[in-house]
Amino acid sequence: SDAEYMETLDALAELLKKKPTGATPIICGDFNAQIGTSDNHETFETHKILGKHGNKKVNERGELLVEFLLELGLCVPASFLRKKGHDTWYSAAQTGHQIDHVLVPKKKRRICRDISRIGGCDSDHLALRIKLSLTKFVPAKEKEKEKEEHCKKTNYCSLKSKRFHDK
């Protein structure tokens, strides 16, 4: 029911509020929501969370999910990727539906290098494979230590200061 769907989104929102600072949530799921593309929605804000690619169909749950995304600053990176197909489930009449989604913070959208559909799963849905581009997080204090160690190893810092004092 729609009430259960909203409860699920609310529970997900609560979980996201508890995430550690600096963590990047990557949410994958069968949302049973057809969200369309940025062309289906009129507000400027939806252009930041939905791209121009994907199945153009929108249903009620799709509208609810888009509101949820806007509220929490999440986006659907697959909609920004030009692909041959985005549908993840086919009805008995072989009508395609894009109802499974990957959600990430809109500021981190570019970590998703590729999102593609793959079959062979024990499901009537096509699974989504995500290729991520992750970088190692190094706190500022560690960066400074690494810089100092590099200077000591190469003797670059002392050469630089020597040239400065010679002038």
Side-chain angles (χ1 to χ4, degrees):
S1 74
D2 285 341
E4 291 173 327
Y5 190 74
M6 288 306 298
E7 284 178 28
T8 302
L9 292 181
D10 289 342
L12 184 55
E14 287 303 313
L15 277 174
L16 289 171
K17 288 177 186 173
K18 295 176 183 177
K19 75 171 181 57
T21 305
T24 301
I26 299 170
I27 305 157
C28 309
D30 174 3
F31 290 91
N32 283 325
Q34 296 182 84
I35 56 173
T37 64
S38 59
D39 297 336
N40 296 97
H41 303 275
E42 296 175 10
T43 67
F44 177 73
E45 284 300 308
T46 54
H47 290 267
K48 294 178 182 176
I49 64 165
L50 292 175
K52 295 182 177 283
H53 306 288
N55 191 315
K56 304 282 187 206
K57 298 175 197 161
V58 180
N59 63 9
E60 283 183 43
R61 286 194 176 172
E63 292 290 344
L64 292 173
L65 185 58
V66 168
E67 286 177 30
F68 174 79
L69 298 173
L70 286 168
E71 240 176 73
L72 296 174
L74 298 171
C75 75
V76 182
S79 65
F80 292 92
L81 302 171
R82 185 178 305 200
K83 301 298 255 176
K84 189 174 184 178
H86 287 265
D87 297 330
T88 57
W89 180 77
Y90 291 88
S91 66
Q94 293 301 308
T95 305
H97 302 273
Q98 183 181 2
I99 58 175
D100 303 290
H101 303 284
V102 175
L103 314 176
V104 299
K106 62 184 175 186
K107 292 180 180 177
K108 300 286 187 168
R109 172 174 65 90
R110 296 191 190 284
I111 67 168
C112 294
R113 307 304 299 159
D114 186 43
I115 299 173
S116 53
R117 308 169 303 159
I118 56 172
C121 301
D122 190 19
S123 173
D124 60 339
H125 293 247
L126 294 171
L128 294 173
R129 176 179 45 209
I130 311 161
K131 290 184 182 176
L132 299 171
S133 175
L134 302 175
T135 56
K136 178 182 166 189
F137 173 73
V138 181
K141 286 181 182 179
E142 285 185 34
K143 281 184 185 177
E144 191 60 36
K145 278 184 184 177
E146 287 176 9
K147 198 175 182 180
E148 286 174 17
E149 287 175 20
H150 180 72
C151 282
K152 287 176 186 175
K153 284 180 186 175
T154 60
N155 212 9
Y156 176 73
C157 296
S158 61
L159 290 173
K160 188 176 178 183
S161 62
K162 186 177 178 185
R163 271 192 246 138
F164 177 74
H165 292 295
D166 289 345
K167 290 183 178 182

